[in-house]
């Protein structure tokens, strides 16, 4: 199925799987590869949410007054808001009074060497295949590892500091660079932007902060590994990336989470600001616990990610491979404010079992000659539901804007669903918008062909799916691309009988 | 090597094969000919284990083992190769990656060490030269955008890489021009030895000018109605399949 439409036509394309494929009939599962709980002492506060809790969080983090005010303002606004219900998702009622809003590993001392770090923590990283010391040596990736809410270890800081690059935990940035925080916090995602962004603004625990000075090319990929760990602790990360004039940075975000029975709420906010001629690449591999094969447990992932191409000829690229979480609600977006600015969204979203994903992007064209590209590849298996929701808006003043969107869905089996909800609003006549959408099923004949060459059905599906997603995976930095390929294969293991 | 006894099979509820008996020994080349709809491709697919084809009766043993106990990928690793009539495209999966996986799966099955990237590429170059395949083809996605002839050459190339003991070529000659036919046939002939066997499924005698069969079987309405040496193919070419029908008294 393929369609092309231009200028403000709204397409609501719904495909529910029909009869298919004896091969893909039985859905049996393998357990989550990264399902384990590490036993780290955690300092938590009482569960529940009220102004007092927010004051405690702010006090524990020793924050300046303006941060507390930001939090309280957001909290008061949040109280008046309702959870959005327009997404193609079934979300259970979330009891915010049952959530612990702050947890930090108790060993908060700054370490000189890895020997001083809680060995349990290091083992956790090793199980994930990302030992810090190897990270340091191998790939030249500076790792700001976040376990629960507080940064435990930051590496390569000196190398970066020589170039004036700031890469630190959000809390450190609040302490040492309050001027930058005050200027840019909430610029891309205001505290009242949406329900989950408001919640995050009120209670966010920690996250990462990046500042690339004028004319500086960041010499290495900056990377943060998030990991949700303490039981019953909502995760509220906050990331802010600022690329000053003529700078460049590539940022990697990768996640896995331990097995859980109860659902865990995650509401992160990521803001990117690209100034004149700056370029920011933000790549994500997301593999949070998706729940078991019956749909029990798993992470609820409500994320607000937005970048502003604030300067002329600035560029922002969102690249993501998403295989995890029970529920995903996520639309990494770009506001193309500067003339001649460029934005891209490249995404692979895979859902299996009872996972639900409503994900996509928004491209808001405000500047002249702005250009955006959307490539979205959805893969659905099991009983999952996978929706693409995308908005392309061209303001009247955004002359000669261009957008190209491509939304492909790949279906495995006959019990999953794929949906596409593109919204297009064009305010002038000099802009060109293109949208293409395809839906395909993994072919029984393709699997048989692989079988006939000695390749098992499971490996064949992994291979075909990776081929389908290659266009997006190729946009990821090398080491991430390898990880992403494995992830796609692991996530589909056992999805065919 | 291959023993088929009283084989019946259905496609979409319709009986296609109705009592096939066939024995193929190592070192032999068998041609299976017959009019459209006689069950030639069904036989090829049943041998390879395509689940769209339902076996209702009979037995097949391959190297002494019951073939119905083996999934399609195991049959392949046991040495059964099917050159497809219509090879499918797999977008985004490079030929190199595809073949490396296939070759190593075969090696793992035989408890041999997987080939290193270097050794694999060496093997790839060797076989490419052997079957005279355009070296660009291996850099592309599996069969994607290949012409009809390129797809068929690619099948023979894969056969060269996997070195099967039993190769079933399903209408490999269809859609080939004379030059391509010669290349494909040369490849098949070169791969032939006393330890392996070939089953050629074809409409036309033309292919048999290049690959000379030891036996020719005529398949008609799901049964082998006539078997003889290579001269049978010429007779068929001359008299047409109506001759068979007449002989059968229809």
């Amino acid at each position: 199925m393929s369609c092309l439409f231009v200028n403000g036509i709204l397409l609501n394309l719904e495909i529910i799987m029909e009869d298919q494929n004896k091969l893909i009939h039985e859905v049996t599962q393998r357990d989550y590869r990264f399902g384990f709980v590490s036993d780290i002492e955690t300092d938590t506060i009482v569960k529940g949410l009220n102004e007092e809790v927010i004051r405690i969080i702010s006090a524990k983090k020793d924050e300046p007054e303006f941060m507390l005010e930001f939090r309280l303002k957001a909290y008061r606004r949040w109280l008046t808001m309702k959870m959005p219900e327009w997404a193609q998702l079934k979300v259970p009622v979330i009891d915010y009074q049952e959530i612990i809003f702050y947890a930090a590993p108790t060993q908060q001392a700054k370490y000189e060497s890895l020997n001083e770090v809680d060995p349990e923590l290091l083992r956790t990283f090793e199980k994930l295949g990302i030992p810090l010391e190897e990270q340091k040596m191998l790939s030249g990736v500076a790792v700001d590892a976040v376990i629960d809410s507080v940064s435990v270890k930051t590496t390569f800081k000196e190398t970066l500091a020589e170039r004036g690059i700031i890469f630190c935990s959000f809390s450190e940035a609040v302490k040492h660079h309050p001027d930058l925080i005050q200027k840019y916090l909430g610029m891309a995602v205001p505290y009242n932007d949406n329900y989950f962004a408001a919640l995050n603004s009120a209670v966010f625990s920690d996250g990462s902060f990046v500042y690339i000075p004028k004319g500086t090319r960041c010499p290495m990929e900056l990377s943060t590994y998030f990991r949700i760990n303490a039981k019953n602790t909502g995760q509220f990360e906050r990331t802010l990336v600022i690329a000053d004039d003529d700078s460049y940075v590539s940022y990697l975000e990768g996640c896995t989470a331990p097995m859980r029975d109860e659902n865990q709420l995650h509401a992160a906010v990521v803001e990117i600001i690209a100034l004149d001629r700056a370029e920011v690449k933000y790549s994500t591999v997301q593999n949070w616990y998706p729940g078991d094969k019956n749909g029990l447990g798993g992470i609820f992932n409500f994320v607000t990610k937005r970048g502003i191409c604030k300067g002329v000829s600035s560029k922002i690229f969102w690249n993501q491979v998403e295989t995890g979480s029970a529920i995903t609600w996520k639309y990494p977006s770009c506001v193309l404010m500067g003339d001649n600015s460029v934005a891209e969204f490249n995404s692979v979203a895979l859902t299996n079992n009872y996972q639900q994903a409503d994900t996509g992007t928004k491209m808001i064209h405000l500047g002249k000659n702005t250009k955006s590209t959307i490539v979205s590849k959805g893969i659905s298996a099991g009983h999952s539901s996978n929706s693409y929701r995308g908005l392309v808006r061209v303001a009247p003043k955004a002359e000669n804007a261009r957008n190209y969107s491509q939304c492909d869905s790949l279906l495995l089996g006959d019990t999953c669903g794929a949906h596409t909800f593109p919204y297009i609003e064009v305010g002038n006549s000099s802009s060109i918008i293109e949208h293409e959408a395809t839906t395909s099923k993994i072919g029984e004949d393709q699997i048989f062909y692989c079988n006939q060459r000695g390749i098992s059905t499971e490996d064949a599906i992994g291979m075909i799916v990776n081929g389908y997603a290659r266009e997006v995976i190729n946009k990821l930095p090398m080491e991430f691309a390898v990880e992403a390929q494995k992830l796609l294969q692991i996530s589909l293991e056992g999805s065919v009988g | 090597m291959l023993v088929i006894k009283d084989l019946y099979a259905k496609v979409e509820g319709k009986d296609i094969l109705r009592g096939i008996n066939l024995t193929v020994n190592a070192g032999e080349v068998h041609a299976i000919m017959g009019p459209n709809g006689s069950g030639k491709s069904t036989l090829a697919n049943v041998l390879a284990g395509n689940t769209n084809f339902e076996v209702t009766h009979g037995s097949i043993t391959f190297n002494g083992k019951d073939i119905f106990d083996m999934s399609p990928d195991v049959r392949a690793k046991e040495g059964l190769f099917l050159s497809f009539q219509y090879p499918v495209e797999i977008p985004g999966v490079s030929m190199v990656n595809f073949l490396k996986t296939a070759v190593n799966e075969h090696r793992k099955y035989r408890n041999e060490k997987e080939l290193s990237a270097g050794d694999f590429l060496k093997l790839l170059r060797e076989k490419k030269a052997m079957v005279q395949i355009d070296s660009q083809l291996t850099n592309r996605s599996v069969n994607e955008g290949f012409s009809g002839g390129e797809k068929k050459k690619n099948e023979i190339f894969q056969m060269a890489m996997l070195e099967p003991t039993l190769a079933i070529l399903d209408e490999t000659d269809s859609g080939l021009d004379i030059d391509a036919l010669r290349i494909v046939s040369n490849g098949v002939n070169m791969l032939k030895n006393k330890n392996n066997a070939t089953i050629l499924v074809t409409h036309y005698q033309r292919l048999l000018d290049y690959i000379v069969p030891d036996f020719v079987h005529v398949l008609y309405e799901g049964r082998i109605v006539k078997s003889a040496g290579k001269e049978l193919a010429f007779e068929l070419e001359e008299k047409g399949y109506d001759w068979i029908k007449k002989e059968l008294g229809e």
Side-chain angles (χ1 to χ4, degrees):
Chain A
M1 203 180 310
S2 170
C3 60
L4 176 91
F5 64 105
V6 180
N7 284 8
I9 301 166
L10 174 70
L11 177 76
N12 182 336
L13 211 164
E14 181 158 330
I15 306 102
I16 306 285
M17 293 279 313
E18 293 152 31
D19 173 54
Q20 137 103 329
N21 219 328
K22 282 164 244 157
L23 279 171
I24 301 176
H25 215 64
E26 278 169 41
V27 181
T28 53
Q29 274 350 104
R30 192 170 294 193
D31 290 339
Y32 181 65
R33 279 274 170 92
F34 299 130
F36 50 85
V37 177
S38 53
D39 191 16
I40 298 170
E41 283 181 69
T42 303
D43 167 27
T44 54
I45 60 171
V46 290
K47 64 188 181 185
L49 183 56
N50 52 50
E51 285 205 11
E52 189 50 31
V53 164
I54 288 165
R55 285 177 200 281
I56 291 172
I57 293 171
S58 192
K60 269 188 180 281
K61 302 180 77 64
D62 204 11
E63 288 179 346
E65 191 60 25
F66 80 87
M67 277 308 309
L68 178 61
E69 273 167 29
F70 180 83
R71 288 175 182 278
L72 289 173
K73 205 164 54 178
Y75 173 67
R76 287 170 194 145
R77 186 56 190 262
W78 179 73
L79 287 175
T80 70
M81 297 168 100
K82 278 210 175 90
M83 196 169 115
E85 282 171 353
W86 40 261
Q88 182 82 13
L89 299 171
K90 288 188 188 111
V91 184
V93 175
I94 298 166
D95 185 350
Y96 292 91
Q97 300 310 328
E98 281 299 314
I99 293 170
I100 299 166
F101 284 87
Y102 182 80
T106 45
Q107 301 188 5
Q108 288 187 60
K110 294 286 170 202
Y111 305 112
E112 290 302 315
S113 80
L114 288 170
N115 299 335
E116 299 169 42
V117 176
D118 184 345
E120 184 65 25
L121 186 62
L122 294 178
R123 268 198 293 278
T124 302
F125 278 109
E126 268 161 38
K127 279 190 217 168
L128 292 171
I130 46 162
L132 283 174
E133 60 270 54
E134 274 186 34
Q135 287 283 346
K136 278 205 245 171
M137 291 183 296
L138 280 176
S139 47
V141 173
V143 177
D144 179 20
V146 176
I147 274 220
D148 283 316
S149 311
V150 168
S151 283
V152 176
K153 184 91 188 166
T154 303
T155 50
F156 282 101
K157 206 175 263 180
E158 296 82 5
T159 319
L160 296 173
E162 278 168 23
R163 291 171 168 80
I165 294 169
I166 305 166
F167 178 40
C168 63
S169 74
F170 203 93
S171 326
E172 277 178 77
V174 168
K175 280 200 194 92
H176 303 303
H177 311 283
D179 44 333
L180 286 171
I181 297 286
Q182 236 175 329
K183 184 169 175 190
Y184 291 107
L185 179 67
M187 183 180 271
V189 182
Y191 71 91
N192 57 359
D193 187 78
N194 67 68
Y195 184 80
F196 293 107
L199 179 64
N200 175 287
S201 300
V203 301
F204 72 89
S205 38
D206 211 334
S208 295
F209 177 81
V210 175
Y211 173 78
I212 314 291
K214 282 183 184 167
T216 305
R217 198 181 164 83
C218 185
M220 58 188 78
E221 317 261 5
L222 300 182
S223 168
T224 302
Y225 284 88
F226 294 99
R227 185 163 169 82
I228 302 171
N229 208 316
K231 228 175 180 188
N232 254 333
T233 305
Q235 280 278 301
F236 304 96
E237 303 287 349
R238 186 109 196 170
T239 301
L240 177 56
V241 179
I242 303 156
D244 214 326
D245 298 350
D246 302 291
S247 69
Y248 166 85
V249 64
S250 168
Y251 189 90
L252 316 182
E253 175 199 70
C255 337
T256 61
M259 187 176 282
R260 286 276 156 234
D261 278 333
E262 70 271 49
N263 292 306
Q264 284 187 304
L265 177 65
H266 188 98
V269 169
V270 176
E271 297 182 273
I272 299 176
I273 314 291
L275 300 177
D276 288 351
R277 295 167 301 279
E279 184 177 334
V280 179
K281 268 186 204 163
Y282 194 102
S283 306
T284 303
V285 169
Q286 189 265 117
N287 183 29
W288 283 325
Y289 181 52
D292 68 12
K293 62 184 175 227
N294 300 313
L296 189 70
I299 305 293
F300 294 178
N301 190 19
F302 297 94
V303 190
T304 306
K305 289 183 166 180
R306 195 173 304 144
I308 301 187
C309 291
K310 199 168 159 49
V312 296
S313 304
S314 55
K315 293 176 184 163
I316 294 179
F317 304 98
W318 295 105
N319 301 320
Q320 60 174 36
V321 172
E322 308 255 333
T323 60
S325 299
I327 296 174
T328 302
W329 180 97
K330 180 178 176 184
Y331 316 91
S333 303
C334 290
V335 181
L336 295 101
M337 200 182 266
D339 290 348
N340 307 313
S341 56
V342 174
E344 268 185 36
F345 172 76
N346 299 295
S347 168
V348 174
L350 181 151
T351 55
N352 196 358
N353 297 319
Y354 287 89
Q355 280 178 275
Q356 307 175 63
D358 192 300
T359 177
T361 184
K362 288 190 273 188
M363 292 293 179
I364 314 291
H365 292 255
L366 301 177
K368 293 183 180 65
N369 308 314
T370 48
K371 201 174 137 191
S372 64
T373 307
I374 298 169
V375 178
S376 164
K377 302 258 183 184
I379 301 159
S380 327
H383 297 271
S384 67
S385 162
N386 200 332
S387 302
Y388 167 81
R389 188 181 302 278
L391 168 69
V392 177
R393 178 182 291 154
V394 178
K397 283 181 180 168
E399 289 159 21
N400 300 312
R402 289 225 47 172
N403 165 269
Y404 171 74
S405 301
Q406 183 193 330
C407 307
D408 297 334
S409 305
L410 184 69
L411 304 166
L412 284 85
D414 54 6
T415 50
C416 53
H419 318 264
T420 307
F421 304 98
Y423 305 82
I424 297 181
E425 300 165 13
V426 181
N428 64 48
S429 57
S430 59
S431 297
I432 301 173
I433 311 295
E434 283 177 85
H435 182 103
E436 283 183 36
T438 67
T439 301
S440 50
K441 284 180 192 174
I442 218 167
E444 210 175 328
D445 53 347
Q446 289 175 323
I447 294 171
F448 180 61
Y449 191 80
C450 295
N451 286 160
Q452 217 304 304
R453 300 304 184 242
I455 300 166
S456 70
T457 299
E458 204 149 83
D459 289 346
I461 287 177
M463 193 179 253
I464 295 165
V465 164
N466 269 305
Y468 164 79
R470 196 168 72 165
E471 200 181 331
V472 172
I473 287 174
N474 283 350
K475 302 265 184 184
L476 293 172
M478 186 61 176
E479 56 275 59
F480 243 31
V482 173
E483 200 174 310
Q485 277 182 21
K486 281 190 207 143
L487 203 53
L488 289 181
Q489 181 129 5
I490 288 171
S491 302
L492 286 171
E493 268 176 7
S495 67
V496 285
Chain B
M1 177 184 291
L2 182 76
V3 181
I4 303 174
K5 281 188 183 154
D6 203 21
L7 182 70
Y8 284 72
K10 279 184 182 179
V11 184
E12 289 164 358
K14 207 175 138 203
D15 292 313
I16 305 291
L17 301 183
R18 307 166 194 213
I20 300 263
N21 290 289
L22 179 68
T23 300
V24 177
N25 297 307
E28 295 176 351
V29 176
H30 291 247
I32 295 180
M33 303 183 72
N36 287 328
S38 59
K40 300 187 300 292
S41 283
T42 300
L43 179 60
N45 275 287
V46 165
L47 287 170
N50 188 333
T51 49
N52 288 330
F53 299 79
E54 189 196 347
V55 175
T56 51
H57 186 262
S59 69
I60 306 175
T61 56
F62 179 48
N63 294 330
K65 293 178 196 166
D66 184 350
I67 210 169
F68 299 136
D69 290 341
M70 297 183 248
S71 59
D73 58 306
V74 173
R75 295 181 197 191
K77 287 179 279 203
E78 280 281 333
L80 188 149
F81 180 91
L82 174 63
S83 168
F84 284 75
Q85 184 177 3
Y86 304 108
V88 297
E89 303 189 354
I90 310 178
V93 178
S94 72
M95 267 318 294
V96 172
N97 183 21
F98 178 76
L99 273 172
K100 185 161 185 278
T101 308
V103 166
N104 281 330
E105 287 300 317
H106 276 72
R107 295 181 67 90
K108 270 194 270 179
Y109 188 77
R110 298 191 298 254
N111 288 319
E112 291 168 11
K113 237 179 95 191
E114 290 184 38
L115 286 183
S116 67
D119 288 343
F120 173 76
L121 290 174
K122 209 175 130 208
L123 181 70
L124 198 74
R125 272 198 300 273
E126 233 169 71
K127 303 292 184 180
K128 269 201 276 202
M130 186 174 181
V131 297
Q132 299 176 40
I133 190 171
D134 182 354
S135 63
Q136 291 302 314
L137 287 190
T138 50
N139 295 332
R140 285 158 55 181
S141 293
V142 178
N143 292 320
E144 199 183 31
F146 286 26
S147 70
E150 283 171 336
K151 281 183 182 170
K152 295 300 174 74
K153 277 194 231 172
N154 191 30
E155 294 292 291
I156 303 306
F157 169 56
Q158 292 177 55
M159 176 176 150
M161 289 294 291
L162 297 172
E163 299 182 322
T165 49
L166 176 65
I168 304 155
L169 310 185
D170 189 5
E171 308 262 1
T172 296
D173 50 336
S174 68
L176 290 186
D177 60 32
I178 290 293
D179 292 336
L181 185 63
R182 192 177 299 126
I183 291 173
V184 163
S185 307
N186 280 345
V188 174
N189 285 329
M190 236 181 291
L191 293 165
K192 217 165 61 178
N193 63 43
K194 63 179 188 335
N195 298 317
N196 62 26
T198 310
I199 297 176
L200 306 169
V201 175
T202 181
H203 275 294
Y204 304 109
Q205 189 273 331
R206 187 176 72 150
L207 176 68
L208 309 181
D209 287 342
Y210 296 93
I211 309 170
V212 181
D214 302 298
F215 302 94
V216 175
H217 309 278
V218 179
L219 194 60
Y220 180 65
E221 293 193 333
R223 263 184 290 257
I224 291 177
V225 294
K226 203 172 178 63
S227 295
K230 63 181 176 198
E231 66 284 353
L232 178 57
F234 294 106
E235 217 172 339
L236 276 175
E237 185 79 0
E238 200 178 303
K239 300 181 181 170
Y241 289 113
D242 285 344
W243 163 64
I244 295 286
K245 289 180 198 170
K246 266 182 213 143
E247 279 217 336
L248 290 170
E250 288 184 11

